[in-house]
């Protein structure tokens, strides 16, 4: 079956019909008013590219540096042409056309909407990344479906997936074909305030089809309705210059001027507001989470066109205690230096040079820390938005897609200023306040600028500022979020053993059964979770270091060598170098992550003994396409040999050395760390261990290599005191110890400062 009817679709059919299709099916099933239609399934797209044999070429074409605008454009063009020039199989064509003929009277105008399988997930809004076509008839239907498939590879979609770490070949696309609602008025509705989570319904409404509101080409009316009382708290009536309508002759969607007498007219009647409020409550109750809804009014009926979770509300904030208003009323900031006002669409305060941008081409001119000033918010701005300190637009509401994306990227934004592109001058230094919705003249002192990220973690206690970095160890990718919430300066050790051991098979067996690519994918996906959570804070990922006795438990473990003492045996870098078949795949996974834009990753090698180990590992890194000169990489100091050879290791080019005291202690004292009979003499603070560490730190400081600790002892106050005294660069502690270590480090640093002036 190439198509399924919306009536037969439910929320958990995500893989079949994508986020949008599943959501519409679920809404239909919940009895909400949704226009009828069907979905060309994701499997139909996948079969199309695979049966035609264009899949490999497609995915290879989009493996590009997403920060390189030209490469992005070339990748998009190649992918688009491949899809459009490949014919659709006859049986698929027939099935789609048959389904179309059953919609409405058989000659209906339909909306053709992309529905990617990774779209609209609760944790990452892919808002506006793929195509939608309105007013389509039989003649263009099949081409439009293919255009939707191709839009999976639009520049902004490639960029967004790379930035968010979604592998291209893991995303499929379904296409929703739905009867057009020839909207007299339409817009979007948030069932909670999209930034603060406050319990109020926010509706944006304009004349005509909803595209104008969603794409940000018109400043819509803005209504804020209390969910407690049902009262309209504020209704801000915008000057709605244009509207999106269907041209009666051609059937095309066109922009028209709004007749003068309707430009300032309020769009929604009280009855419509009440109906929307009712539907908003219903849909939020149904999903049990705040929703972002697209709606339309046609012949007096309110229809729901789409609903998805709001992804931007700070998790720990239920919004109740938020005092601020929303909508234009929030822009009532006073002060002589306010140049323009608009809607605070994404919180935070930032200063920078205004860059007036008129077209996508000009986005190249946006430098790191600039404030983009543009007529309307467009999702195509995403690559530049990431570089920008803030966004200002003339038009568009706080529910426009790009405003959603700016919130998700954490870039402060003020939208709907009316004439920002004319009032502000290119190159002028301004300060934007994404809470109040103002753009002020001049620069704000650094300490007054406030990043929205801080707001996203309101419950995080104030972090003590220390010169020595305090990082955190992560072994289970799912813990990355909690780890990041500690306010740690990065991940000092990301172990991949857990990711590999949970496969239930030795890497060799897993690869034998599933292929090399699957192994790489597993590592990419686990590491990405931490890399994403901490971005741009550094994450030091280590190649595999599990002793043979741990592998023995797994399927394929019977092939592991039998060892008298696995701790002294075939593990860490020595295994990687001896049999690089698995080791090189780990490096390939890291390389893929670098390619996806995770430039915060650092590579670390375990259990090295000497420069030869390091030079050989470095060569493998090069072979995997990781340039050791461009990336941060280093080694664990876990054997006395490594500590004693630190000068040679430094000469081999390492950027950092991290003490693995769990092993360093066992190898220095000849005490098996897993042997309870000798546990009482296992002492990480033994003078011999401390001597090795202290001397290594000293040498590293002389030769400019950073030092760290990522063994368990890094969470112990005595070790912290010793290391800070010696001048270690960073300490990586367990999640639960991070806050105490931060305080301990601060105490020692202050004592050192006092000592120096006494
Ligand atoms: C260490 O040896 O201190 C270390 C952090 O590595 P692992 O515990 O994984 O051997
Ligand atoms: Mg170790």
């Amino acid at each position: 079956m190439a198509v399924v009817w919306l009536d037969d679709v439910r929320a958990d059919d995500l893989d079949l019909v994508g986020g949008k299709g599943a959501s519409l099916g679920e809404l239909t099933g919940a009895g909400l008013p949704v226009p009828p239609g069907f979905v060309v399934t994701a499997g139909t797209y996948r079969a199309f590219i695979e049966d035609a044999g264009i899949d490999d070429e497609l995915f290879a074409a989009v493996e590009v540096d997403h920060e390189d605008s030209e490469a992005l454009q070339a990748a998009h063009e190649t992918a688009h042409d491949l899809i459009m020039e490949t014919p659709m199989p006859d049986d698929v064509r027939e099935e789609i056309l048959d389904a179309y003929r059953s919609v409405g009277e058989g000659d209906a105008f339909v909306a053709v909407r992309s529905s990617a399988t990774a779209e609209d997930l609760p944790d990452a809004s892919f808002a506006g990344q793929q195509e939608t076509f309105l007013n389509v008839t039989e003649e263009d239907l099949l081409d439009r479906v293919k255009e939707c498939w191709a839009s999976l590879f639009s520049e902004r979609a490639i960029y967004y997936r790379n930035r968010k770490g979604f592998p291209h070949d893991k995303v499929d696309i379904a296409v929703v074909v739905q009867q057009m609602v020839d909207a007299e008025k339409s817009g979007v509705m948030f069932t909670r305030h999209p930034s603060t989570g406050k319990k109020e319904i926010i509706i944006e409404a304009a004349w005509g089809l909803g595209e104008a509101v969603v794409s940000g080409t018109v400043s819509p009316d803005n209504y804020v309705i209390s969910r407690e009382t049902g009262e309209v708290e504020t209704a801000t009536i915008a000057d709605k210059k244009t509207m999106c309508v269907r041209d009666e002759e051609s059937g095309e969607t066109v922009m028209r001027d709004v007749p003068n007498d309707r430009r300032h007219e309020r769009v929604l009647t009280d009855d419509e507001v009440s109906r929307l409020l009712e539907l908003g409550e219903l849909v939020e109750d149904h999903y049990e989470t705040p929703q972002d809804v697209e709606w339309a009014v046609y012949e007096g009926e309110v229809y729901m066109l789409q609903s998805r979770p709001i992804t931007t509300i700070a998790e720990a904030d239920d919004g109740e205690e938020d005092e601020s208003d929303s909508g234009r009323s929030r822009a009532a900031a006073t002060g002589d230096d306010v140049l323009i006002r608009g809607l605070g669409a994404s919180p935070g305060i930032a200063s920078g040079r205004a860059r007036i941008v008129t077209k996508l081409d000009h986005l190249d001119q946006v430098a790191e820390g600039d404030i983009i000033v543009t007529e309307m918010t467009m999702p195509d701005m995403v690559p530049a938005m990431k570089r920008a300190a803030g966004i200002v637009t003339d038009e568009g509401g706080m529910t426009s897609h790009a405003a959603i994306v700016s919130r998700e990227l954490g870039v402060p934004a003020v939208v709907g200023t009316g004439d920002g592109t004319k009032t502000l001058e290119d190159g002028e230094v301004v300060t934007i306040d994404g809470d109040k919705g103002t753009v002020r003249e001049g620069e704000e002192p650094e300490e007054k600028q406030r990043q929205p990220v801080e707001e996203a973690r309101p419950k995080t206690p104030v972090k003590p500022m220390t010169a020595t970095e305090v990082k955190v160890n992560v072994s289970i990718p799912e813990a990355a979020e909690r780890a990041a919430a500690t306010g740690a300066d990065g991940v000092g050790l990301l172990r991949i053993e857990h990711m590999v051991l949970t496969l239930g098979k030795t890497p060799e067996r897993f690869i034998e059964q599933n292929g090399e690519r699957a192994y790489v994918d597993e590592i990419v996906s686990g590491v990405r979770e931490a890399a994403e959570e901490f971005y741009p804070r550094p994450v030091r990922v280590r190649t595999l270091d599990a002793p043979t006795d741990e592998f023995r438990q797994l399927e394929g473990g019977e092939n592991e060598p039998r060892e008298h003492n696995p701790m002294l045996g075939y593990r860490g870098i020595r295994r990687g170098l001896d049999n690089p078949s698995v080791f090189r795949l780990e490096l390939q996974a890291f390389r893929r992550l670098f390619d996806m834009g995770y430039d915060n990753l650092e590579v670390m090698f375990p259990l090295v003994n000497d420069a030869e180990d390091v030079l050989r590992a470095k060569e493998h890194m090069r072979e995997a396409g990781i340039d050791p000169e461009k990336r941060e990489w280093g080694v664990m100091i876990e054997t006395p040999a490594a500590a004693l050879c630190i000068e040679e290791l430094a000469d081999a080019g390492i950027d950092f050395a991290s003490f693995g005291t769990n092993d360093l202690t066992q190898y220095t004292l000849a005490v098996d760390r897993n042997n309870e009979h000798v546990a009482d003499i296992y002492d990480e603070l033994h003078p011999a261990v401390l001597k090795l560490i202290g001397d290594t730190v000293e040498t590293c400081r002389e030769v400019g290599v950073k030092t760290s600790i990522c063994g368990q002892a890094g969470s112990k106050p005595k070790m912290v005191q010793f290391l800070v005294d010696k001048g270690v660069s960073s300490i990586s502690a367990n999640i639960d110890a991070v806050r105490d270590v931060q305080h301990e480090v601060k105490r020692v640093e202050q004592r050192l400062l006092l000592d120096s002036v006494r």
Side-chain angles (χ1 to χ4, degrees), residues 125 127-128 186-195 201-206 210-223 291-295 308 310 312 327-328 343-346 377 395-407 415-416:
S125 168
S186 54
V188 287
M189 162 167 67
F190 276 174
T191 63
R192 295 267 186 133
H193 189 289
S195 301
I201 296 244
I202 295 180
I203 303 175
E204 296 203 328
E211 298 311 294
V213 180
V214 171
S215 65
T217 49
V218 64
S219 301
D221 285 0
N222 182 292
Y223 306 80
Q291 297 288 302
D292 161 4
V293 176
E294 283 177 35
W295 56 268
R308 59 177 166 238
I310 302 176
T312 51
R328 273 187 182 72
L343 286 170
S346 176
T377 53
E395 303 191 328
M398 65 189 233
T399 50
S400 60
H401 277 135
I404 294 174
V405 175
S406 76
R407 281 195 288 273
V415 301

Side-chain angles (χ1 to χ4, degrees), residues 493 495 542 545 571 636 638 660-663 673 710-711:
L493 167 63
R495 291 183 174 97
R542 186 178 72 177
D545 180 14
R571 58 173 285 212
M636 304 264 306
E638 290 165 298
T661 42
N662 306 345
D663 280 319
R673 63 193 254 196
C710 58

Side-chain angles (χ1 to χ4, degrees), residues 36 44 112 139 160 184 250-251 265 310 341 346 366 390-391 417 430 570 597 642 656 675 699 736 742 756:
T44 307
V112 178
E139 199 185 339
Y160 202 85
E184 292 133 20
S250 64
E265 192 184 318
I310 302 176
R341 295 187 169 91
S346 176
V366 176
I391 316 286
T417 60
V430 294
Y570 200 48
F656 60 83
N675 184 339
T699 309
D736 52 310
Q742 286 166 338
S756 71

